[in-house]
Amino acid sequence: MDASLYLSARLQVLADLSARRQATPDLVSVLEDAVAARRWWAEQWPEGEIYVAGLVAQDVQDAAIDAGSRWPLCLTCPDAPEHALHIEPDLGGPDPVWVCEESGEAVAELGRLS
Ligand SMILES: [Zn+2]
């Protein structure tokens, strides 16, 4: 088991929250909990490690929706009503990318939102 995996999942999601100025104390705390929970999960099932970063991003996204905000919003589509990005592959990995809900186009790798 590789501890750097969890560190980098945390950093990637934190970078994307910060990129959109949504690294609030509440969501950062959700992020910490999600990393801990997914780490426990991957320790039971080591093949799951490749899904961890994307799953953590989805956990934080779900928590943001529950709190009444959306993260991350698509900033790419012109003239479209407000819409979000989602992680593909849906399973969380491998190589998770943010994809626009409307256009279906990849916007950025996880951790690389601008
Ligand atoms: Zn879009």
Side-chain angles (χ1 to χ4, degrees), residues 73-78 80-81 83-85 99-105 107:
L73 291 175
C74 179
L75 304 178
T76 308
C77 297
H83 58 281
L85 306 175
V99 172
C100 169
E101 275 178 358
E102 294 287 321
S103 71
E105 289 190 27
V107 172

Side-chain angles (χ1 to χ4, degrees), residues 1 6 36-49:
M1 207 236 357
Y6 304 99
R38 294 301 178 178
R39 179 172 188 153
W40 181 88
W41 172 80
E43 282 167 2
Q44 319 307 308
W45 187 56
E47 290 79 13
E49 284 188 348

Side-chain angles (χ1 to χ4, degrees), residues 2 4-5 8-9 11 19-20 23 27 30 32 34 37 39 44 46 53-54 60 62 68 75 77-78 83 85 94 97:
D2 182 1
S4 70
L5 177 85
S8 82
L11 286 174
R20 299 305 174 80
L27 286 182
V30 166
E32 307 292 355
R39 179 172 188 153
Q44 319 307 308
V60 174
D62 289 346
L75 304 178
C77 297
H83 58 281
L85 306 175
V97 292

Side-chain angles (χ1 to χ4, degrees), residues 9-52:
R10 182 183 177 282
L11 286 174
Q12 284 175 308
V13 175
L14 189 59
D16 286 349
L17 282 170
S18 301
R20 299 305 174 80
R21 301 180 201 282
Q22 281 173 277
T24 61
D26 283 353
L27 286 182
V28 170
S29 146
V30 166
L31 169 60
E32 307 292 355
D33 291 348
V35 170
R38 294 301 178 178
R39 179 172 188 153
W40 181 88
W41 172 80
E43 282 167 2
Q44 319 307 308
W45 187 56
E47 290 79 13
E49 284 188 348
I50 56 169
Y51 307 112
V52 164

